[in-house]
Amino acid sequence: MSDTPPVILAAEPGSFPHSVLAERHPAIIRQVRDAFPYGPDQHRALDALLENCTKGVVEPLPATAPDRAVWAAWGADEYTGRSWFDVPWLWSESWFYRQLLEAVGYFGSGPWQGIDPFRPFKLAELDAPETDEELAALDALDGRPADEQAAALLHGSLWGNRADLGFRLSDADAEGRDAVPGLVADDSAALWSLLDGADTLCLVADNAGRELVPDLLLIAHLLAQGRVRRAILHVKSYPYYVSDATTADVVDAVRRLTRAPGAAVDHGRRLWAAMADGSLTVRAHPFSCAPLPYEEMPDDLRAEFAGAALTVVKGDLNYRRLVGDRMWPPTTSFADVTACFPSPVAALRTLKSDVITGLAPATEAALVAAEGQRWRTGGTHALIQVRP
């Protein structure tokens, strides 16, 4: 596109990206450090990462790292030696989580190999009373018209993003604030028109726990109603961004549903059966954890998305990767910035970062008049955007 704005950096003190690197990431390190009985080696590595990510420069992965060559292709060689604040924000955030896993031995050969450092927080969410309350609400939907159920589950999936653990670390009151009535953009009619007997739905998940559950409930409903023949759920290939969903988190969420009372258990059993017969498939492509926009996705992933009647992209990080992590004018065409995506695409997102496209001029003006620029990051606004 002409006049494409530059990618977002985190160098400006007081900016939202700067606060993530300077405040949120240290908080995450401390939280992970306290959540496990790690040994001295992990403690030293976490302390070193805390110092490095706030005051140091990008350092290369160990020579033995299994994905060293992949990260080199993703920009590690180019950014080595530069401040974390002076490289693209999307890249430095992703690099932080890769280095955090390195520090706790996730990719090593020792006893902590493969242990998700965020798992206690994800399981606590699934077991929280709030989850019971949300699942109990499914009983009230029983017997309602299918379209009404679908709309309720779509909005549950949309607003479930407010359960994002990483977001709550830096804004503890966010989830308790009332959601602003209405959406800053609502293309739900176009979304439903694409899911009318569709063959394949791809859903790119965002967070685990209390957000993944409504995503799964929506998939279960669409399969049961025959609105889609099969669903492909894309998750992260390893723990990422505190609460992003992995295959293990999908299994935990489905098990949670199968243990629930009332209508929830039927959804859980339906999902279990769908995974067994292939009508629900879980994918964990390595690019899911890439610090790059979807515009740069590899050919095999592009081909998979190209075969979908619709790809639903959930959450804030995936939105940034979909449109490009740039400070677009909010009225920039969503269709234009997603033109590279190989299938019809829908974004379901609560707003937790500065990136936004596709707003009507009057909507942007009203938001700025009411809140300044806080509406971009506060988590109290949401959108449903579709590019057919």
Side-chain angles (χ1 to χ4, degrees):
M1 295 178 62
S2 60
D3 301 321
T4 300
V7 296
I8 294 175
L9 306 179
E12 182 182 348
S15 68
F16 183 72
H18 189 278
S19 72
V20 169
L21 267 62
E23 300 167 21
R24 183 185 295 183
H25 287 178
I28 290 169
I29 291 173
R30 288 188 286 268
Q31 187 185 38
V32 167
R33 197 181 196 277
D34 294 340
F36 283 91
Y38 288 127
D41 290 345
Q42 287 78 29
H43 285 160
R44 280 191 291 270
L46 288 169
D47 292 343
L49 177 59
L50 178 61
E51 178 77 11
N52 176 251
C53 73
T54 53
K55 301 176 184 177
V57 297
V58 173
E59 297 177 356
L61 290 172
T64 55
D67 54 349
R68 183 183 171 103
V70 172
W71 274 95
W74 286 348
D77 286 353
E78 177 184 355
Y79 298 137
T80 293
R82 294 170 60 178
S83 166
W84 292 58
F85 294 84
D86 293 333
V87 302
W89 180 42
L90 177 63
W91 196 93
S92 58
E93 276 196 290
S94 297
W95 184 247
F96 169 77
Y97 289 101
R98 176 59 185 84
Q99 291 286 37
L100 178 62
L101 294 180
E102 192 68 34
V104 299
Y106 182 88
F107 293 107
S109 58
W112 294 101
Q113 182 183 32
I115 301 298
D116 182 349
F118 312 124
R119 184 168 170 78
F121 321 126
K122 296 172 178 178
L123 292 179
E125 277 214 342
L126 282 179
D127 294 334
E130 293 85 354
T131 304
D132 291 325
E133 295 168 7
E134 290 162 4
L135 293 180
L138 289 171
D139 296 339
L141 280 180
D142 261 8
R144 306 296 299 177
D147 286 351
E148 188 176 318
Q149 293 184 41
L153 292 169
L154 177 67
H155 280 261
S157 178
L158 171 65
W159 288 107
N161 185 246
R162 299 175 79 199
D164 181 338
L165 292 166
F167 179 67
R168 290 214 311 274
L169 278 174
S170 58
D171 191 356
D173 298 325
E175 198 177 353
R177 289 196 292 269
D178 289 336
V180 173
L183 308 176
V184 299
D186 184 4
D187 295 338
S188 52
L191 184 150
W192 292 124
S193 71
L194 291 163
L195 294 180
D196 188 9
D199 185 69
T200 302
L201 164 71
C202 285
L203 192 151
V204 182
D206 190 34
N207 296 310
R210 283 171 53 207
E211 181 185 351
L212 184 59
V213 167
D215 292 345
L216 290 167
L217 293 174
L218 177 62
I219 288 173
H221 177 81
L222 294 173
L223 289 171
Q225 294 296 317
R227 299 193 78 147
V228 301
R229 185 183 67 83
R230 65 190 293 255
I232 302 174
L233 180 64
H234 286 260
V235 297
K236 300 299 189 293
S237 54
Y238 54 74
Y240 193 62
Y241 276 70
V242 183
S243 52
D244 281 29
T246 65
T247 303
D249 300 319
V250 175
V251 174
D252 287 338
V254 174
R255 281 182 173 151
R256 176 70 171 84
L257 288 169
T258 62
R259 297 196 308 265
V265 69
D266 294 330
H267 289 284
R269 290 169 179 164
R270 188 175 298 117
L271 289 162
W272 195 282
M275 293 178 74
D277 68 23
S279 53
L280 171 57
T281 305
V282 178
R283 294 276 195 270
H285 195 283
F287 191 76
S288 66
C289 296
L292 303 171
Y294 280 110
E295 185 176 13
E296 299 182 38
M297 76 178 88
D299 290 343
D300 61 332
L301 183 60
R302 182 175 295 276
E304 183 157 303
F305 286 139
L310 176 67
T311 297
V312 174
V313 174
K314 281 293 309 293
D316 203 75
L317 170 63
N318 286 324
Y319 187 88
R320 291 164 56 195
R321 296 185 70 196
L322 177 65
V323 305
D325 201 35
R326 302 171 184 273
M327 192 62 85
W328 299 105
T331 55
T332 301
S333 167
F334 177 72
D336 286 350
V337 295
T338 58
C340 64
F341 204 82
S343 62
V345 64
L348 269 62
R349 172 208 182 196
T350 50
L351 276 57
K352 301 176 186 175
S353 68
D354 291 308
V355 179
I356 184 74
T357 67
L359 295 193
T363 300
E364 182 198 4
L367 289 166
V368 172
E371 304 179 34
Q373 296 299 326
R374 293 188 305 276
W375 60 272
R376 293 175 179 260
T377 58
T380 55
H381 296 278
L383 58 78
I384 303 172
Q385 292 177 323
V386 176
R387 192 218 71 208

